Amino acid sequence: RGRPGDELAARSGAAARPPAAKGRGGARAAAAGTIGDRASELSSLKKFDEIKKANQAAAKKLVEDQLSSSSEDDDEDAEVKQGKILDKTFTIYTSQTDGDASELDRTRQYMNDAFQSRSMTCLICIASVKRNQAVWSCCGCFCIFHLVCIQKWAKDSLFLVSSPLTDDDFGKKDYPWPCPKCRFEYKRSETPRRYYCYCGKVENPAVDPWLVPHSCGQICEREFKPSCGHKCLLLCHPGPCPPCPKMVTTTCHCKKAKPVPRRCSAKEWSCRLPCGRTLLCGQHACENPCHAGDCQPCPRVSKQRCVCGRQTAERLCASPQWHCNQVCGKCLPCGNHTCEQVCHAGPCGDCPRSGKRSCPCGKTKFTLPCTEDVPTCGDSCDKVLECGIHKCSQRCHRGPCEICRQEVEKQCRCGKHTKRMPCHKPYLCETKCTKIRDCQKHQCRRKCCSGNCPPCDQVCGRTLGCRNHKCPSGCHRGSCNPCPETVDVKCRCGKTVIKVPCGRERTIKPPKCKQLCSLPPTCHHSTQEKHYCHFGQCPPCRQVCQKTLTCGHLCPVSCHDEALVKQTGLHQSAGPWEQPSEPAFIQTALPCPPCEVPIPVECLGQHEVTPLPCHSANPYSCKRFCGRLLDCQNHTCMKECHHVTKLNSSTDGKMAGPECSQCEEECTKPRPAGCPHRCVLPCHPGDCPSCLQMLKIKCHCKLSVLYIECLKLTCADLKEKELLISCGNQCPKELPCGHRCKEICHSGSCPLNCSQKVKLRCLCKRLKKEVQCSKIQEGQVSLECDALCKEMKRKAYEMKEAEAKAALEEEKRRQQAELEAFENRLKGRRKNKRRKDEVEVEQSSWQKYKNLIMLPVFGVAVVMV
């Protein structure tokens, strides 16, 4: 049933609809509106589900990170991997130093910082430097910055330095930009543009997990500082290169000792003997031990005269020349004046008043004795006054000129006002400058400013990137310098401390402390397992439990006093629409597992002894066949391993008992050799009875069938068997020579000595002789031709030669006849040709036949034209 409110709402809705909505168009519009509402509702639900799943995944990951107990193992694996990479980087260097890596501590520290996550911080943006980010390293302090950050820093620094300059001075001087940390200055052209590895060989080095971050993996080959001619042998690395490990032969500073082989980085050494070099005083020798550089000044004291030689005093031997305070006073060459110089060496020189002298204004020169003063010339002075514009209008006078008193139209420094006043007085108006200073925040406010406003004298006071301090520098444009403060980040026990830039203490990982954890154990053990200092809860105890079980053994599993157990069934869902909550884990003590100590237990059939766990150490069936010997003494019990009752009469433990099966097989004992019949008795102990059946077999020659008693055949020896199986007839087999065997029916192959008589002939078949066949086969007998046979063979050969010679003569005659007939036919043709040309020329026989050459080749005439 519907509610009253629903009915009322339906009525009001129907009354509010327009009349057109009652038709088909109104129904379609209502349906479309309903479908759109449902689609929007589904899309919002889908977005809600996606956001919910993302939040659950993030929360799950956070819980796993907090509850993960394998962080130490991951750290150990990372340390092992890091150690392998460092050893690979230092291999070439340590091979030169025989394994000594004491000089690599500083470089090793930079490489460790490069490996540790979040330990390398860009001081400009106060963010971590990652493996896949482009970086730049300062060659002064080896600090690493993001490439984008250092480019922006250099650009801002150059702009701030060049902004106070005028347009005329801008660009004429290459102003440097400093490193944010060490203030090492770089030229404008040295601004980094691309991302290179530490050694500068490879652009955009690939990210390799088995190399130092931002390294190309090649040999560094940078020159050592100070330069010694050798290059760095490490693989591409951050930080400074270590000292040169090469061995060179060098002598001491004073060159007295013999040259010895030493490391190139420590090739300068002292033999500790007195130096002995002559000092600058020229009288004493250096008594200091062998040292580098110049010798120190002579420390001895001696009596020395001054430069003019009037006074004597005790002074250091290293400073033999000194001046007293007395005026020279010697008479000059003019005889009227004395030298006014203070203690000098050499002659006094001429009188300064001798020769030509000028008047005070310098326009007129006079030649007067040194006893008379130069008079003034009476002309105007005309010297340029201090203003630099006007000249002195007084007559030639002695002493300085007066100040400029002319009135001029002066413009103030800012150029906004003018006033008529004496030239020597400056003119400054009271107008205050309204220009913004280079900080782009405050006005100049200086009276009568020339436009080149001084730097802002206020303190910047902006919050630095560390979010802890404010900028103490003067007000400036651009980014503030990185915070110079450092913060100590400590481990839990406080014994291990690292210094990090201010602002990084909230994101940097605490240092790995090598001290053992000092927290008390939380399980039943008196001492906890040794592990390093850490934050949070101690890892689960992995010591052996060692509690005494009910069987008397000790529990061998790991400690289970604080095991994580999943809680289920605590929350009942309100319906299928409610999402299942994440499982909750609690720490609780679990009981000891069943005892697994192996106990030797014998199976029911006494076949084997197997070690079984202590909690299940009971007699068992090994699933093998019983195997006990039955009463037939031939077969064994085929039942599965079972219990057997031992009888008093049976002393052997391998005999079958009443629980074993009974033998129902036929007799399977082996029969005598050659007997194919079975035993007529069932399976029985002892020997089988003799076989009395007849055998039907063929004789040796396979032509006759014989019937022989089985017992006689199996009991006979070889000779008797040969006679029993023989039929008594002649062997029908054929020998290799083609004759039939003469022996009686026998086994094996026939003998080869054939006794048949055969006829033997000579090679010409004239002589013949009867001999035994076996001798011919063995080659013992042969028949040679006699003298008559040889004479007949010679006559036959002569007859054949005569016949061949006659045939050759006949062939030659036939060819000659054919040649003559051919020549006759050819001669008739030539006579007809002469008649046509009406020219008769008599030719020789060679000219007639020179074009026709007949060669007999294998009985065929060949004509060559």
Side-chain angles (χ1 to χ4, degrees):
R1 296 178 181 178
R3 292 179 293 179
D6 297 340
E7 186 177 358
L8 181 61
R11 289 178 182 177
S12 62
R17 293 193 191 103
K22 295 181 180 179
R24 294 182 180 178
R28 291 177 182 175
T34 306
I35 293 172
D37 294 341
R38 290 180 180 176
S40 63
E41 184 178 357
L42 289 175
S43 62
S44 62
L45 289 175
K46 185 177 180 181
K47 291 180 180 179
F48 178 77
D49 292 339
E50 292 177 356
I51 295 172
K52 185 175 181 180
K53 289 180 181 179
N55 292 337
Q56 289 178 353
K60 183 177 179 181
K61 183 178 179 182
L62 180 61
V63 172
E64 289 178 354
D65 292 342
Q66 291 180 352
L67 297 179
S68 176
S69 61
S70 62
S71 60
E72 293 185 1
D73 298 337
D74 296 341
D75 292 342
E76 291 178 0
D77 296 341
E79 287 182 0
V80 172
K81 181 179 178 181
Q82 177 180 342
K84 291 182 179 179
I85 297 175
L86 292 180
D87 293 342
K88 179 182 176 182
T89 306
F90 298 150
T91 298
I92 303 178
Y93 186 92
T94 52
S95 64
Q96 297 283 338
T97 60
D98 298 331
D100 183 14
S102 59
E103 301 289 346
L104 298 172
D105 294 339
R106 188 180 177 193
T107 306
R108 190 188 299 273
Q109 182 62 36
Y110 277 94
M111 297 182 70
N112 288 333
D113 293 343
F115 276 112
Q116 292 178 2
S117 61
R118 300 182 179 177
S119 63
M120 282 201 308
T121 305
C122 177
L123 296 180
I124 300 175
C125 64
I126 315 298
S128 299
V129 178
K130 299 180 180 179
R131 277 179 172 266
N132 56 352
Q133 293 177 335
V135 298
W136 175 81
S137 177
C138 175
C139 62
C141 60
F142 304 101
C143 188
I144 294 178
F145 306 91
H146 291 123
L147 183 62
V148 178
C149 297
I150 197 64
Q151 288 175 345
K152 186 176 182 299
W153 175 273
K155 182 179 178 182
D156 294 345
S157 300
L158 292 173
F159 179 76
L160 291 176
V161 172
S162 58
S163 58
L165 302 177
T166 61
D167 295 339
D168 296 335
D169 296 334
F170 187 80
K172 292 183 178 179
K173 185 176 180 181
D174 189 7
Y175 290 94
W177 56 272
C179 170
K181 183 178 181 181
C182 65
R183 298 297 170 181
F184 184 82
E185 293 187 348
Y186 293 90
K187 297 180 181 179
R188 183 191 295 267
S189 59
E190 295 176 346
T191 304
R193 311 253 177 224
R194 298 180 181 178
Y195 168 41
Y196 288 94
C197 62
Y198 296 114
C199 64
K201 293 181 181 178
V202 179
E203 182 180 353
N204 295 324
V207 179
D208 192 340
W210 288 100
L211 290 177
V212 181
H214 315 291
S215 171
C216 64
Q218 302 180 20
I219 298 178
C220 178
E221 292 186 349
R222 286 184 289 183
E223 292 187 359
F224 289 109
K225 293 181 181 180
S227 179
C228 63
H230 302 125
K231 295 183 179 181
C232 181
L233 301 177
L234 299 182
L235 300 185
C236 183
H237 62 91
C241 296
C244 181
K246 295 285 186 179
M247 297 296 292
V248 295
T249 303
T250 180
T251 185
C252 63
H253 299 296
C254 64
K255 311 297 182 184
K256 293 181 180 179
K258 294 182 179 180
V260 294
R262 293 178 63 86
R263 299 278 178 211
C264 183
S265 58
K267 59 184 177 182
E268 295 184 357
W269 60 285
S270 174
C271 63
R272 298 299 176 185
L273 297 176
C275 177
R277 285 185 286 184
T278 304
L279 298 176
L280 295 177
C281 65
Q283 299 177 5
H284 307 103
C286 180
E287 298 178 355
N288 294 330
C290 177
H291 59 86
D294 297 333
C295 298
Q296 296 181 359
C298 184
R300 297 189 179 184
V301 178
S302 60
K303 290 184 178 183
Q304 300 175 5
R305 288 182 177 274
C306 65
V307 175
C308 64
R310 293 182 180 182
Q311 293 184 5
T312 302
E314 289 187 354
R315 296 179 56 86
L316 291 175
C317 190
S319 56
Q321 291 187 356
W322 63 284
H323 298 268
C324 63
N325 295 327
Q326 294 183 7
V327 180
C328 178
K330 292 181 181 179
C331 186
L332 295 177
C334 64
N336 299 322
H337 301 93
T338 58
C339 181
E340 297 178 357
Q341 298 181 18
V342 177
C343 186
H344 65 87
C348 296
D350 296 334
C351 180
R353 296 170 63 90
S354 61
K356 289 185 178 182
R357 287 179 288 170
S358 300
C359 64
C361 67
K363 294 180 179 179
T364 306
K365 293 184 178 181
F366 298 92
T367 303
L368 298 173
C370 64
T371 55
E372 296 182 7
D373 295 331
V374 177
T376 57
C377 63
D379 197 357
S380 59
C381 179
D382 288 341
K383 289 182 181 179
V384 179
L385 300 178
E386 292 180 356
C387 64
I389 301 174
H390 306 102
K391 296 181 179 180
C392 182
S393 59
Q394 295 181 357
R395 292 184 180 275
C396 180
H397 60 88
R398 293 184 176 89
C401 299
E402 295 182 353
I403 57 176
C404 183
R405 300 182 182 276
Q406 294 189 25
E407 288 191 358
V408 293
E409 191 77 18
K410 275 200 168 185
Q411 192 177 21
C412 65
R413 188 166 55 186
C414 64
K416 295 182 179 180
H417 304 278
T418 57
K419 184 178 180 181
R420 191 166 186 84
M421 57 186 306
C423 183
H424 69 276
K425 291 184 179 181
Y427 176 41
L428 298 176
C429 68
E430 297 296 327
T431 305
K432 292 184 179 180
C433 181
T434 59
K435 289 185 178 180
I436 302 298
R437 294 191 178 184
D438 58 352
C439 64
Q440 299 295 320
K441 294 180 181 179
H442 306 105
Q443 289 183 348
C444 178
R445 307 302 295 172
R446 189 175 64 159
K447 290 183 180 181
C448 195
C449 181
S450 62
N452 189 11
C453 302
C456 185
D457 54 356
Q458 299 187 31
V459 179
C460 177
R462 287 185 291 180
T463 303
L464 298 177
C466 64
R467 304 298 178 186
N468 297 328
H469 303 94
K470 294 185 177 180
C471 181
S473 303
C475 190
H476 59 84
R477 280 187 295 176
S479 302
C480 298
N481 292 339
C483 182
E485 301 293 333
T486 58
V487 181
D488 292 342
V489 178
K490 300 181 181 180
C491 65
R492 181 170 184 174
C493 65
K495 295 181 179 179
T496 303
V497 182
I498 59 173
K499 291 185 179 294
V500 297
C502 182
R504 293 290 293 170
E505 67 275 6
R506 292 182 290 271
T507 58
I508 200 72
K509 284 186 177 181
K512 295 179 182 179
C513 182
K514 297 301 181 180
Q515 302 294 329
L516 296 178
C517 179
S518 58
L519 297 177
T522 56
C523 59
H524 68 278
H525 293 101
S526 59
T527 58
Q528 65 175 347
E529 191 176 10
K530 292 182 179 180
H531 59 279
Y532 294 129
C533 173
H534 61 90
F535 285 92
Q537 296 182 355
C538 292
C541 181
R542 292 182 290 183
Q543 301 182 69
V544 181
C545 179
Q546 292 295 319
K547 289 183 180 179
T548 304
L549 303 176
T550 56
C551 60
H553 297 112
L554 299 178
C555 181
V557 299
S558 299
C559 181
H560 44 82
D561 288 350
E562 295 180 345
L564 286 177
V565 179
K566 180 180 178 182
Q567 284 185 325
T568 56
L570 296 179
H571 176 71
Q572 295 293 335
S573 59
W577 58 84
E578 185 176 357
Q579 294 293 335
S581 60
E582 294 294 330
F585 293 88
I586 59 171
Q587 284 188 344
T588 182
L590 298 178
C592 294
C595 183
E596 298 289 339
V597 176
I599 302 296
V601 179
E602 190 176 24
C603 68
L604 296 172
Q606 301 177 354
H607 300 110
E608 64 179 18
V609 177
T610 303
L612 297 179
C614 181
H615 69 277
S616 61
N618 298 318
Y620 67 99
S621 174
C622 64
K623 305 300 180 180
R624 299 180 184 176
F625 293 116
C626 176
R628 293 179 179 269
L629 191 62
L630 300 178
D631 295 337
C632 65
Q633 303 295 321
N634 297 325
H635 300 93
T636 57
C637 178
M638 300 301 292
K639 283 186 177 181
E640 190 178 295
C641 177
H642 60 87
H643 176 71
V644 179
T645 304
K646 292 185 179 181
L647 302 177
N648 296 330
S649 60
S650 63
T651 57
D652 191 0
K654 295 184 179 181
M655 296 301 295
E659 293 82 6
C660 295
S661 60
Q662 300 295 326
C663 182
E664 298 177 356
E665 301 289 334
E666 297 180 354
C667 179
T668 57
K669 290 185 178 180
R671 306 296 293 166
C675 179
H677 308 105
R678 294 183 178 181
C679 180
V680 296
L681 300 179
C683 187
H684 59 88
D687 298 333
C688 296
S690 302
C691 183
L692 301 178
Q693 298 188 34
M694 300 299 289
L695 286 176
K696 179 181 179 182
I697 60 175
K698 289 187 178 182
C699 64
H700 298 299
C701 58
K702 309 300 180 180
L703 296 178
S704 301
V705 179
L706 304 177
Y707 292 91
I708 307 172
E709 191 174 347
C710 182
L711 179 61
K712 292 182 180 179
L713 187 62
T714 54
C715 296
D717 56 4
L718 294 177
K719 290 184 179 181
E720 292 177 353
K721 284 184 180 181
E722 184 76 18
L723 294 176
L724 288 173
I725 301 176
S726 176
C727 62
N729 300 323
Q730 183 181 356
C731 179
K733 296 178 183 179
E734 186 177 352
L735 298 177
C737 60
H739 302 113
R740 184 177 176 182
C741 181
K742 301 293 184 180
E743 301 292 332
I744 303 300
C745 179
H746 61 87
S747 62
S749 58
C750 298
L752 298 178
N753 52 348
C754 181
S755 60
Q756 185 75 25
K757 296 290 186 177
V758 295
K759 291 183 179 180
L760 179 65
R761 294 179 179 273
C762 66
L763 295 177
C764 63
K765 309 296 183 180
R766 191 179 69 84
L767 301 178
K768 60 182 179 179
K769 180 181 178 182
E770 286 189 356
V771 294
Q772 193 173 353
C773 180
S774 60
K775 292 183 180 180
I776 296 176
Q777 296 296 328
E778 294 175 357
Q780 297 179 1
V781 180
S782 62
L783 185 60
E784 302 290 339
C785 292
D786 56 0
L788 183 58
C789 292
K790 294 179 180 179
E791 182 65 23
M792 293 176 65
K793 189 184 295 184
R794 184 183 60 78
K795 290 181 179 181
Y797 178 74
E798 291 178 355
M799 290 178 64
K800 286 182 179 180
E801 283 187 350
E803 290 176 359
K805 189 175 181 180
L808 183 62
E809 292 293 334
E810 181 67 23
E811 181 69 18
K812 288 182 179 181
R813 285 194 298 271
R814 185 179 62 80
Q815 291 178 358
Q816 184 67 26
E818 290 179 358
L819 181 62
E820 291 177 357
F822 180 75
E823 289 178 353
N824 293 334
R825 288 195 300 271
L826 188 63
K827 187 183 296 185
R829 292 176 185 174
R830 290 180 178 175
K831 288 181 179 181
N832 293 334
K833 190 175 181 180
R834 289 195 193 103
R835 290 174 184 173
K836 290 179 181 180
D837 297 339
E838 294 180 357
V839 178
E840 294 183 0
V841 179
E842 187 176 355
Q843 296 179 350
S844 63
S845 59
W846 165 248
Q847 291 176 349
K848 291 179 181 181
Y849 304 109
K850 68 178 180 180
N851 294 328
L852 299 174
I853 300 174
M854 297 181 64
L855 298 177
V857 179
F858 299 105
V860 179
V862 179
V863 179
M864 300 295 293
V865 181

